[in-house]
Amino acid sequence: MLTGKRVRIRAKGKIFEGIVMPSFTGSLVLKLENGYNAGFREYEIIEVLEDFRAQVPRAEIVRREDLPNVKIISTGGTIASRVDYRTGAVTSQFTAEEIVSDVPEIAEICNVEAELLYNILSENMKPSYWIELARRVYESLKKYEGVIVTHGTDTMHYSASALAFMLSTPKPVVFVGAQRSSDRPSSDAAMNLICSAKLATSDVGEVLVCMHGTTSDEFCYAHRGVKVRKMHTSRRDAFQSINAKPVAKIDYPSLEIEWLSWRYRRGERELKLRDRLEEKVALVKFYPGLGSDIIDYYHSKGYRGFVIEGTGLGHVSTDWIETLKKVCEDSIVVMTSQCLYGRICDRVYDTGRDLLRAGVIEGEDMLPEVALVKLMFLLGNYSLEEAKELVKKNFVGEIEPRSTY
Ligand code: ASP
């Protein structure tokens, strides 16, 4: 077992040094000196330098009867680990003791129990992992007041959407990540985690994403899982609600919650899980000159769900119309916009009207990624004809009735 040890390896013709993190993918994951994690499939261990694991201080967990119980499920990403450069200690934030010794404020808000599900960068997520995650969250919701999912930020909004569709929840399910790992002075990990703990014990019953609201440590936003997107590569306030208001603002450090939009309240919905997804759904971004043979290709591979990220109000080249007409006979094609903000309206221009005649469905104000996950969910659970009707309907707030943003 190399986990927790500092090693020197040779990979890709270079030498790397770092601390071995838990990994589930068969790759070696190293926490490098610069604070980032890197995965290596092929490598040669040159030397095991030190074992820091034993030096990690552990807080003693004292269960408080007056506090709610919250489950933290780790899936990996930047938030999942830190290195204390003074001692070299690895704190993986995978056990309740590690989380509480790293972020002691959490123990004032709730009793935490922790479960390590994955330790992956979120670009390595897959629909099958969303299903496993949904099952774990579902089981946890039977016993705990709320669930926190720690997750890499890159694809957090896909996972949050997947859970929002698969899981009807009477309690909060809060996704949280960090743009900077907690061994860096500018880390957002602790504050995001503290605000997410507050949210996980609050009066809300839906899937949310909790991240910094500004670049400084003033407040976090709780975004609806189906209305949020990572909009910046590195800023701490990278996550923004699109075509909707954030659900809440959690002030820091007072942790007062201000509700900013409608929400599902705690206890409003019954706990249910529908854990089937059809993976053969494609998301295709149109650009000038892209031929419709890309659609033919997916179709020939058995894909029956398509989300197109079209231009403006929801367009692709007129050259695509014949292909789309053919594909729409046995598939669903949903149009979304690469503008992200605003609503699809294919009634304004001729190209749009042709698309509607071909059978393309307007994706309203849904984000392309959300439409993708929704189609996976619908095709996994309903017939094609039913899915064609249901995709236009709002399930969990992914379609706002009116565009006011
Ligand atoms: N690429 C990383 C991930 O999504 C970034 C992060 O952890 O936030 O897992």
Side-chain angles (χ1 to χ4, degrees):
M1 271 296 285
L2 286 173
T3 305
K5 293 179 181 160
R6 178 184 290 279
V7 294
R8 185 175 299 136
I9 64 162
R10 184 175 291 115
K12 300 168 194 159
K14 286 193 208 142
I15 304 291
F16 296 89
E17 219 176 275
I19 294 167
V20 181
M21 307 307 297
S23 165
F24 292 84
T25 55
S27 300
L28 180 81
V29 178
L30 281 195
K31 182 95 183 161
L32 302 174
E33 289 296 333
N34 60 14
Y36 286 107
N37 287 355
F40 301 92
R41 268 190 202 292
E42 286 174 23
Y43 57 87
E44 177 202 336
I45 304 271
I46 303 175
E47 204 181 345
V48 176
L49 299 160
E50 269 167 291
D51 183 356
F52 290 114
R53 193 88 201 156
Q55 304 171 18
V56 179
R58 295 281 191 281
E60 206 190 311
I61 300 271
V62 185
R63 252 192 67 82
R64 277 181 46 186
E65 289 305 324
D66 58 323
L67 293 182
N69 300 324
V70 166
K71 177 72 164 284
I72 301 187
I73 300 179
S74 297
T75 66
T78 299
I79 192 162
S81 62
R82 63 165 302 183
V83 175
D84 182 332
Y85 289 115
R86 279 171 306 120
T87 61
V90 184
T91 316
S92 313
Q93 293 192 339
F94 293 139
T95 67
E97 288 82 0
E98 284 167 336
I99 293 166
V100 170
S101 45
D102 241 26
V103 190
E105 294 89 335
I106 291 203
E108 302 293 316
I109 303 169
C110 53
N111 300 308
V112 287
E113 274 185 44
E115 178 182 340
L116 172 60
L117 178 57
Y118 306 118
N119 184 24
I120 56 171
L121 296 171
S122 74
E123 51 271 38
N124 292 325
M125 271 281 167
K126 296 177 177 143
S128 59
Y129 293 7
W130 301 335
I131 291 173
E132 186 53 35
L133 177 61
R135 289 181 183 149
R136 298 290 181 104
V137 171
Y138 172 76
E139 289 306 323
S140 300
L141 285 168
K142 293 180 186 165
K143 298 188 217 121
Y144 298 86
E145 271 26 271
V147 174
I148 297 172
V149 178
T150 61
H151 199 288
T153 53
D154 287 9
T155 69
M156 187 152 65
H157 57 303
Y158 289 83
S159 299
S161 296
L163 263 69
F165 288 116
M166 285 193 273
L167 203 65
S168 153
T169 173
K171 298 175 184 172
V173 176
V174 186
F175 278 77
V176 63
Q179 287 282 80
R180 322 260 167 88
S181 71
S182 52
D183 38 53
R184 301 169 81 192
S186 61
S187 175
D188 48 340
M191 182 178 140
N192 291 350
L193 208 51
I194 294 165
C195 291
S196 70
K198 183 68 188 176
L199 210 53
T201 57
S202 71
D203 179 19
V204 63
E206 59 180 297
V207 178
L208 301 166
V209 166
C210 180
M211 293 290 288
H212 259 59
T214 67
T215 51
S216 44
D217 293 343
E218 293 162 300
F219 60 87
C220 278
Y221 274 133
H223 304 274
R224 178 154 290 122
V226 286
K227 277 294 188 200
V228 67
R229 205 168 187 282
K230 183 173 180 177
M231 298 296 282
H232 198 278
T233 54
S234 56
R235 277 170 69 125
R236 299 175 341 146
D237 59 351
F239 278 77
Q240 285 174 31
S241 286
I242 310 286
N243 295 325
K245 275 193 188 154
V247 175
K249 183 174 166 185
I250 305 100
D251 188 64
Y252 189 82
S254 78
L255 300 186
E256 257 163 52
I257 298 183
E258 186 187 341
W259 299 105
L260 302 174
S261 81
W262 69 272
R263 71 188 190 275
Y264 291 102
R265 307 287 289 260
R266 185 181 280 274
E268 192 176 323
R269 294 185 293 171
E270 261 178 67
L271 180 62
K272 279 191 226 135
L273 173 69
R274 301 179 81 183
D275 59 1
R276 283 205 303 266
L277 293 175
E278 169 55 61
E279 290 194 26
K280 287 200 160 174
V281 178
L283 172 57
V284 178
K285 182 166 186 154
F286 174 79
Y287 56 86
L290 180 67
S292 62
D293 40 357
I294 184 83
I295 301 289
D296 278 324
Y297 170 78
Y298 277 119
H299 194 255
S300 72
K301 295 280 172 202
Y303 282 64
R304 294 296 176 263
F306 297 86
V307 175
I308 300 177
E309 228 186 273
T311 58
L313 286 166
H315 304 132
V316 290
S317 159
T318 319
D319 300 346
W320 281 41
I321 303 293
E322 281 313 307
T323 304
L324 290 176
K325 203 186 270 172
K326 190 185 73 204
V327 164
C328 281
E329 281 170 17
D330 66 356
S331 309
I332 306 189
V333 182
V334 178
M335 181 61 71
T336 60
S337 174
Q338 44 200 258
C339 295
L340 303 180
Y341 283 97
R343 190 173 283 267
I344 297 301
C345 183
D346 277 320
R347 284 143 228 264
V348 180
Y349 296 100
D350 277 351
T351 20
R353 286 193 287 268
D354 288 346
L355 286 168
L356 292 179
R357 272 194 292 274
V360 171
I361 297 167
E362 294 168 305
E364 303 289 346
D365 66 336
M366 276 188 289
L367 284 164
E369 300 88 342
V370 174
L372 172 82
V373 175
K374 184 174 180 180
L375 264 195
M376 288 181 171
F377 171 74
L378 292 177
L379 290 172
N381 291 285
Y382 299 92
S383 71
L384 187 78
E385 288 316 310
E386 285 170 327
K388 277 189 182 175
E389 281 310 307
L390 291 171
V391 75
K392 298 179 218 162
K393 298 215 159 69
N394 173 44
F395 270 62
V396 284
E398 75 281 11
I399 297 176
E400 284 278 325
R402 269 174 295 115
S403 293
T404 45
Y405 304 96

